[in-house]
Amino acid sequence: MTDNTENTENAVGTKSTEPVERHSYDVVVIGAGGAGLRAAIEARHAGKRVAVISKSLFGKAHTVMAEGGAAAAMGNVNPKDNWQVHFRDTMRGGKFLNHFRMAELHAKEAPDRIWELETWGALFDRTKEGKISQRNFGGHEYPRLAHVGDRTGLELIRTLQQRVVALQQEDKASTGDYEANLRVFAETTIVRLLKDASGRIAGAVGYYRETGQFVVFEAPAVIMATGGIGRSYTVTSNSWEYTGDGHALALLAGAALVNMEFVQFHPTGMVWPPSVKGILVTESVRGDGGVLRNSEGKRFMFDYVPDVFRKQYAETEEEADRWYDDQENNRRPPELLPRDEVARSINSEVKAGRGTPNGGVFLDVSTRLPAEEIRRRLPSMYHQFKELADVDITAQPMEVGPTCHYVMGGIEVDPDTQGTVVPGLYAAGECSGGMHGSNRLGGNSLSDLLVFGRRAGLHAAEYIDGLGTAGKPAVAAADVDAALEEALAPLANADGENPYTLHHELQVTMNTLVGIIRKPEEVSEALTKLEEFKPRRTKVGAAGGRRFNPGWHVALDLRNMLIVSECVAKAALEREESRGGHTRDDHPAMSSKWRQINLICSLNEDGSGIDLKHQPIPTIRPDLLGLFEVSELQKYFTDEELTVLGDSAEPVAEAKPAGEAKPAAEPEVKSEPATESKAEAKSEPEAKPEAKTEPAPIPGQSNGEKAADTAADKVAEKSTEKSATAEAEEQTAQAEAEAQTEDAETAAEEK
Amino acid sequence: MGYKGKFKVWRGDASGGDLKDFEVEINEGEVVLDIIHRLQATQAPDMACRWNCKAGKCGSCSAEINGKPRLMCMTRMSTFEQDETVTVTPLRTFPVIKDLVTDVGFNYAKAREVKSFTPPKDLLPGEYRMQQIDVERSQEFRKCIECYLCQNTCHAVRDHEENKDNFSGPRYLMRVAELDMHPLDTADRKNSAQEEHGLGFCNITKCCTEVCPEHIRITDNALIPMKERVVDRKYDPLVWLGNKIRRRTSSDA
Ligand SMILES: Cc1cc2nc3c(=O)[nH]c(=O)nc-3n(C[C@H](O)[C@H](O)[C@H](O)COP(=O)(O)OP(=O)(O)OC[C@H]3O[C@@H](n4cnc5c(N)ncnc54)[C@H](O)[C@@H]3O)c2cc1C
Ligand code: SF4
Ligand code: SF4
Ligand code: FES
């Protein structure tokens, strides 16, 4: 809740006659989803005064909707799982366009981020041994998703919310004020980032939705955690919040966006009734045994297994069905291919006339599991279909089709620090780019939020320490004035065009012309339309007053949606290949040449549109490449690129079979991030925010971490070593005790 | 299949307001929230309402529909007769901000007063061991989407503004119960349930349970057991001690 009793004089020295509330913080986090809250918690742990800003109420951010789970190679269900396997799956899922370093950090640190949630009160579903249960999901080799039924996002956000409250209670005890060091500004929308004369971040300006009053935040560090862009599409699983604000604000402030053409269409959204079209049907339905059938009753996914995945996926229904019980000796069902593959396959089936009456395909779990089991494992899906579509999923198949779900592209960040090219500006979560390459695996977002949210908070705090006291950037009054003027324009133009109409036209344009399958002539047409929308956008009007006026809010969001849509369309037109969340009708194949290229969007000189440039993709460290078989890499890389493998690849490649890598790797996985959190912010040996240098490869050493262990790290390591080793031993012992077949059962049975 | 339906929506703010009549197109499969959105897009662009997920997951879109506290996104139009006038008003218990949006700050204030999860000090991350059966009770309460419909409905606050200081309402009494039933929570919560959160105000009418869109059995599973624990505690402190000792540890797993 916003507290409007604060000073409301215009204290920023602007010319505008508007009353502007003003606050000063060390770190301002824009976004109160998983990434934003985790970042805020970390910055607060590092001793900073932090504000968290959110368009909706506290605890309602998009993360709340995540269903399936959070991926982390804890190895609780199948002890063969470890960070290397998770890394491999992530890179495969993203078709090797991922920033390898982010994928590496993510795979290594995710388990610690999940365990830490338990210490803050999270209650995940358990295995028989009382550990966190893990479920199967598309693209993940082993059961890996920590979950709570099908409401994992709710658990995640509630836990972080409650952690924020815990920290506020500490502050209350020590200062008498809950909000002394960590305050949530709910229902507050940021409209511009502010910089000082030398180009460093100085703060942000926004308005309280409730009153329509403006507020300026002065802060040397801002962390963007604003989520995605789905509201630019008609059929989407995303809420009204997903207007690409973070992408657009960062771009307007001089940051770059990377690979915006990659938009994930989740294969299974509801298709009927029309008013719920796009609402998500969790992938857990397939992870728990659900199958896809066309109108002829055929399990069509067997016809769509691409070459690169042939080795891992079953060829017959019998083998696929056996996999649920015995994953050692059978290959996975093709329904669990990465999302891009499944979405395209459904699209093809419908186009070929084998769709359902409402233009989808059938997703059936009713013939696969007992009714009781379905209700137990998929309670919210059961509920959702029952209440919204009159469909009983324990007795009937669901009708599903692709829905715009997630954007892989995003703000370009340093993989270790989450810093952007704008000093003081950080980004984490869905609005940042690089981690997921061309396609995100299910469950990798929730873990991404935690891993990189924490990193952003940590490094933003470090950046501030580096500034000293003298160097705090100052907000320029003229910038605030300009932002207010821009924001007030629609209200002064009450007779202008209806913003809802323009929004709808934009959605239809993106949905039909820059959707799952892209044709260059259609994307060009979309770009022409976007140019027509731009002047219309400046003339939209908002009737009514300032107080909680949704029409006005939409009018302001349109700027961001248009910017982001232009980025998506421009990049989609440029990339002449098909990969992950980008499919070109005229270039259906993946190209190793294009794999070497990141497409970078930035604001053009006069601010009227987007410039696009090619940038070479960072070279993957040989020790990480060595985790793959050369024959697999050859499907993605040019021969030239693979020559670096040379001899350094061999020894690592040998250690590859997952089972063997485990005992050696396990303590590393645990101690490395634990080291960092123990050592707290101060001693983190990572690169400075701007440093884009890659860490030197250490061939043959599987963790490939920097050798620069500080003394503090060593000490911290000692203290955590014991538990990590004990854990590893316990797991190994347990692995022996359990017959291997139990793994699969546990995955299926435990909730 | 579409038809013209009649709606009455409360419009106004803290200074006052009244029900406004609308005639609006209604299509097959739509929910009340769809209609509010249509009104915004076509007739009343500044009509305020909250929503996020449109799938009953975020608890934003709470309102009173024909007087009943409901989620607008989960209330299907097919549950009304076509000639029935559907009346949508803001939650009554909380101060109105504008139209269907109310100030739910009361709930955030109460949330902050519940002592946080307090795990055993010596238990390191990754070492938590809990059996499914032992976490299930608290898990039921963690399904709460914080729609505040129960808070809005409970007569102890709905009809008695003066109780707001001393009564946290079903949602936050349930939060206390959730933590009390957490297998690894070490804090003693019985006194605070009674003394700080006003468990005694609850006279187990179950109205909160009836409106919960998550079908959480608030009264039966959280409030009544909590009352029993408090009573046990009062008469026999050993009961409480026994409870704590009996709790499973990783060694019996
Ligand atoms: C239905 C659904 C199911 C999903 N299931 C899964 C799953 O099972 N596993 C998984 O890993 N991922 C899943 N995802 C993806 C995942 O939930 C999201 O990618 C992730 O939650 C995004 O988190 P975030 O912290 O980046 O942003 P969000 O949680 O979206 O938070 C964004 C925050 O930014 C704020 N904000 C935005 N713009 C502004 C502004 N201008 N000013 C102020 N504040 C602003 C918003 O109010 C909000 O608080 C799912 C997504 C959906 C839609
Ligand atoms: S059961 Fe108790 S908390 Fe629930 S509505 Fe009745 S009095 Fe209120
Ligand atoms: S307990 Fe039920 S009614 Fe109450 S806030 Fe939670 S979900 Fe809503
Ligand atoms: S919009 Fe989320 S519960 Fe209704």
Side-chain angles (χ1 to χ4, degrees):
Chain A
M1 292 280 80
T2 54
D3 171 9
N4 292 324
T5 56
E6 303 251 346
N7 58 328
T8 50
E9 84 274 27
N10 188 340
V12 207
T14 70
K15 292 209 184 73
S16 168
T17 52
E18 272 290 313
V20 179
E21 196 177 300
R22 168 188 165 187
H23 296 277
S24 188
Y25 283 92
D26 296 324
V27 179
V28 165
V29 181
I30 307 178
L37 293 181
R38 190 61 191 83
I41 289 167
E42 197 65 21
R44 162 64 179 67
H45 285 174
K48 301 299 169 222
R49 279 189 76 240
V50 184
V52 183
I53 303 169
S54 165
K55 290 209 282 192
S56 48
L57 290 173
F58 187 29
K60 311 284 182 201
H62 222 278
T63 301
V64 85
M65 294 161 67
E67 293 161 358
M74 295 181 285
N76 289 352
V77 170
N78 189 328
K80 287 188 178 176
D81 203 11
N82 57 40
W83 77 259
Q84 288 94 336
V85 187
H86 192 181
F87 171 79
R88 279 206 299 266
D89 289 345
T90 301
M91 294 298 291
R92 277 177 192 138
K95 302 242 160 66
F96 286 85
L97 204 74
N98 321 54
H99 197 306
F100 70 91
R101 176 67 179 158
M102 291 178 88
E104 179 195 14
L105 288 170
H106 170 257
K108 283 181 175 168
E109 297 181 6
D112 279 298
R113 298 287 78 78
I114 298 295
W115 284 320
E116 164 182 88
L117 292 180
E118 286 199 305
T119 70
W120 297 340
L123 281 175
F124 292 103
D125 289 345
R126 318 306 296 179
T127 65
K128 285 190 186 119
E129 304 79 47
K131 297 180 180 179
I132 297 172
S133 176
Q134 300 186 265
R135 68 156 43 114
N136 287 304
F137 236 55
H140 293 282
E141 187 167 340
Y142 297 118
R144 188 176 285 147
L145 270 66
H147 60 273
V148 189
D150 51 6
R151 57 161 190 90
T152 314
L154 174 64
E155 187 67 17
L156 195 123
I157 203 152
R158 206 60 88 226
T159 302
L160 294 172
Q161 186 182 346
Q162 287 161 354
R163 176 63 185 167
V164 166
V165 165
L167 292 169
Q168 290 180 326
Q169 289 176 347
E170 280 178 18
D171 289 341
K172 166 85 171 169
S174 59
T175 69
D177 178 7
Y178 282 117
E179 295 180 331
N181 297 314
L182 178 52
R183 176 165 167 192
V184 179
F185 291 81
E187 301 202 310
T188 305
T189 304
I190 296 298
V191 291
R192 281 275 179 176
L193 299 181
L194 301 168
K195 297 199 290 184
D196 74 353
S198 67
R200 301 177 303 171
I201 280 294
V205 51
Y207 61 89
Y208 293 127
R209 292 163 58 80
E210 183 182 320
T211 58
Q213 300 299 314
F214 290 100
V215 53
V216 166
F217 296 92
E218 294 175 328
V222 169
I223 300 173
M224 307 305 288
T226 55
I229 66 161
R231 289 315 283 181
S232 295
Y233 286 81
T234 358
V235 181
T236 176
S237 64
N238 295 171
S239 88
W240 66 271
E241 291 197 291
Y242 268 24
T243 49
D245 294 7
H247 293 81
L249 293 173
L251 193 104
L252 291 170
L257 306 185
V258 58
N259 292 340
M260 288 300 289
E261 64 277 29
F262 296 108
V263 177
Q264 181 169 79
F265 289 83
H266 194 291
T268 60
M270 292 177 80
V271 297
W272 193 91
S275 75
V276 299
K277 197 166 178 170
I279 289 181
L280 194 75
V281 181
T282 175
E283 188 166 319
S284 320
V285 175
R286 284 170 286 138
D288 287 353
V291 295
L292 291 163
R293 290 205 176 89
N294 61 21
S295 58
E296 295 163 4
K298 180 171 182 204
R299 252 179 98 173
F300 58 84
M301 279 310 299
F302 290 95
D303 301 342
Y304 292 95
V305 181
D307 266 352
V308 285
F309 290 118
R310 213 44 83 219
K311 278 180 82 171
Q312 291 113 12
Y313 288 84
E315 274 161 62
T316 62
E317 290 193 29
E318 292 70 31
E319 179 178 4
D321 287 348
R322 282 197 306 268
W323 176 87
Y324 289 100
D325 297 322
D326 175 7
Q327 297 175 11
E328 294 305 316
N329 301 306
N330 296 287
R331 290 169 298 172
R332 320 162 55 78
E335 277 87 1
L336 291 180
L337 275 159
R339 289 177 177 170
D340 53 323
E341 307 291 351
V342 183
R344 269 194 302 274
S345 313
I346 294 178
N347 199 60
S348 307
E349 284 297 303
V350 175
K351 282 219 163 132
R354 294 187 292 270
T356 65
N358 296 303
V361 294
F362 293 113
L363 171 61
D364 185 20
V365 66
S366 67
T367 57
R368 313 273 303 170
L369 290 174
E372 196 41 49
E373 195 59 21
I374 296 173
R375 275 193 295 267
R376 199 173 67 86
R377 286 199 212 174
L378 301 165
S380 56
M381 282 305 107
Y382 174 74
H383 202 60
Q384 181 174 314
F385 272 86
K386 193 96 191 148
E387 306 218 349
L388 294 175
D390 274 334
V391 167
D392 177 357
I393 66 168
T394 66
Q396 294 160 274
M398 297 162 249
E399 270 184 80
V400 296
T403 178
C404 179
H405 184 58
Y406 185 90
V407 60
M408 273 69 70
I411 303 166
E412 193 188 24
V413 291
D414 176 85
D416 287 86
T417 67
Q418 302 295 104
T420 68
V421 290
V422 180
L425 184 62
Y426 295 77
E430 186 167 344
C431 71
S432 69
M435 156 71 204
H436 304 286
S438 68
N439 173 53
R440 172 179 71 89
L441 292 185
N444 267 2
S445 172
L446 292 186
S447 42
D448 161 3
L449 309 180
L450 298 170
V451 168
F452 295 107
R454 172 183 159 278
R455 284 185 163 268
L458 190 65
H459 290 281
E462 273 190 8
Y463 166 80
I464 296 170
D465 291 340
L467 286 178
T469 40
K472 265 207 171 176
V475 166
D479 293 346
V480 177
D481 280 337
L484 301 199
E485 193 184 331
E486 183 186 28
L488 287 171
L491 288 168
N493 182 29
D495 298 329
E497 182 175 355
N498 181 343
Y500 294 99
T501 310
L502 185 53
H503 181 203
H504 184 68
E505 282 182 44
L506 169 66
Q507 290 183 307
V508 172
T509 302
M510 291 304 285
N511 217 77
T512 50
L513 302 177
V514 201
I516 302 188
I517 312 288
R518 284 123 186 217
K519 300 182 173 155
E521 59 282 7
E522 289 184 353
V523 179
S524 303
E525 189 188 332
L527 281 165
T528 312
K529 289 206 166 167
L530 290 174
E531 284 307 316
E532 291 163 15
F533 293 158
K534 282 184 191 172
R536 276 172 65 188
R537 196 274 298 177
T538 60
K539 295 193 194 76
V540 294
R546 298 265 287 268
R547 186 168 276 271
F548 218 115
N549 181 344
W552 181 38
H553 303 163
V554 172
L556 296 182
D557 293 343
L558 274 170
R559 178 197 69 198
N560 302 334
M561 287 189 268
L562 281 175
I563 290 175
V564 166
S565 299
E566 183 176 347
C567 292
V568 173
K570 280 219 163 119
L573 189 58
E574 184 73 9
R575 186 176 287 276
E576 295 183 322
E577 66 159 346
S578 296
R579 177 187 300 276
H582 171 66
T583 305
R584 276 283 291 263
D585 195 51
D586 53 336
H587 295 278
M590 202 158 57
S591 140
S592 340
K593 282 270 171 261
W594 272 103
R595 196 209 66 83
Q596 297 172 288
I597 294 164
N598 279 336
L599 290 178
I600 304 292
C601 289
S602 52
L603 194 67
N604 68 13
E605 214 150 295
D606 64 2
S608 63
I610 303 302
D611 278 343
L612 189 74
K613 71 165 197 240
H614 290 205
Q615 183 174 291
I617 190 171
T619 310
I620 305 185
R621 286 206 319 273
D623 62 303
L624 293 176
L625 271 187
L627 296 171
F628 298 88
E629 279 176 32
V630 176
S631 61
E632 179 174 12
L633 295 177
Q634 281 163 341
K635 294 169 185 162
Y636 299 96
F637 291 76
T638 62
D639 290 344
E640 215 175 303
E641 288 173 279
L642 292 180
T643 53
V644 299
L645 277 177
D647 32 87
S648 78
E650 295 308 332
V652 192
E654 257 164 43
K656 194 189 65 58
E660 283 149 56
K662 171 81 177 179
E666 191 64 31
E668 287 164 12
V669 181
K670 301 226 173 80
S671 63
E672 189 238 351
T675 298
E676 288 177 14
S677 47
K678 278 271 148 45
E680 282 301 345
K682 305 290 176 291
S683 60
E684 158 119 309
E686 310 281 46
K688 285 274 156 298
E690 279 83 17
K692 292 261 181 187
T693 45
E694 310 297 357
I698 307 167
Q701 186 183 329
S702 52
N703 76 349
E705 271 308 301
K706 300 186 179 86
D709 277 349
T710 62
D713 286 333
K714 285 262 162 61
V715 175
E717 201 163 277
K718 276 241 170 66
S719 69
T720 57
E721 207 157 30
K722 215 177 72 214
S723 67
T725 324
E727 174 87 39
E729 274 166 12
E730 188 191 323
Q731 293 195 351
T732 322
Q734 175 197 316
E736 281 161 11
E738 276 171 13
Q740 302 217 313
T741 49
E742 181 142 339
D743 303 336
E745 280 168 25
T746 321
E749 282 167 31
E750 292 290 346
K751 268 221 19 159
Chain B
M1 58 188 68
Y3 66 96
K4 283 268 182 206
K6 292 199 199 65
F7 260 67
K8 280 185 190 292
V9 182
W10 194 89
R11 301 218 56 195
D13 56 27
S15 63
D18 47 38
L19 289 170
K20 293 268 185 290
D21 288 295
F22 295 95
E23 253 207 9
V24 55
E25 182 191 323
I26 292 162
N27 302 310
E28 194 185 359
E30 286 183 335
V31 294
V32 169
L33 184 62
D34 289 314
I35 311 307
I36 298 294
H37 283 162
R38 182 163 301 126
L39 290 175
Q40 287 178 333
T42 57
Q43 304 183 36
D46 61 340
M47 180 184 284
C49 81
R50 288 196 180 105
W51 70 284
N52 270 28
C53 67
K54 213 172 169 292
K57 295 197 168 81
C58 72
S60 303
C61 65
S62 309
E64 301 195 1
I65 300 170
N66 289 350
K68 293 206 184 73
R70 312 254 349 208
L71 296 177
M72 291 192 284
C73 71
M74 297 303 276
T75 306
R76 298 189 68 185
M77 287 308 296
S78 59
T79 56
F80 306 106
E81 299 299 329
Q82 295 202 354
D83 55 6
E84 190 176 348
T85 301
V86 179
T87 305
V88 191
T89 48
L91 297 182
R92 204 181 86 187
T93 304
F94 307 118
V96 75
I97 291 173
K98 187 181 158 204
D99 304 338
L100 302 177
V101 173
T102 55
D103 179 351
V104 291
F106 166 75
N107 300 288
Y108 289 95
K110 292 298 176 188
R112 211 142 61 178
E113 288 163 12
V114 180
K115 183 178 168 49
S116 301
F117 173 57
T118 314
K121 286 210 169 57
D122 52 346
L123 199 59
L124 292 176
E127 291 183 344
Y128 285 49
R129 296 291 178 275
M130 293 174 269
Q131 290 301 308
Q132 182 62 34
I133 188 165
D134 295 333
V135 299
E136 248 153 32
R137 284 190 304 178
S138 297
Q139 277 186 332
E140 181 191 6
F141 309 145
R142 290 182 73 84
K143 287 195 316 199
C144 170
I145 58 174
E146 300 199 335
C147 65
Y148 311 128
L149 289 177
C150 58
Q151 301 284 88
N152 173 60
T153 304
C154 175
H155 63 95
V157 275
R158 191 175 174 104
D159 301 331
H160 300 277
E161 179 72 26
E162 70 280 7
N163 286 349
K164 277 189 176 168
D165 280 347
N166 305 315
F167 181 59
S168 296
R171 195 276 171 261
Y172 295 101
L173 286 168
M174 179 178 88
R175 166 79 172 137
V176 177
E178 172 213 316
L179 287 164
D180 200 57
M181 296 178 193
H182 188 303
L184 293 174
D185 186 65
T186 59
D188 174 11
R189 301 178 182 278
K190 276 102 193 157
N191 282 343
S192 70
Q194 194 72 9
E195 283 150 26
E196 291 161 36
H197 303 291
L199 184 58
F201 284 92
C202 164
N203 51 359
I204 54 174
T205 58
K206 303 200 185 185
C207 313
C208 51
T209 305
E210 271 162 36
V211 296
C212 177
E214 284 292 304
H215 307 296
I216 302 172
R217 308 239 309 265
I218 309 170
T219 322
D220 287 349
N221 292 355
L223 305 180
I224 294 177
M226 201 63 210
K227 278 175 177 277
E228 287 169 358
R229 286 171 174 225
V230 170
V231 171
D232 284 354
R233 173 68 185 294
K234 276 216 177 111
Y235 293 162
D236 182 6
L238 284 178
V239 174
W240 169 78
L241 203 65
N243 262 346
K244 292 278 166 179
I245 290 169
R246 261 204 335 271
R247 274 179 185 163
R248 238 177 262 258
T249 61
S250 53
S251 51
D252 12 317

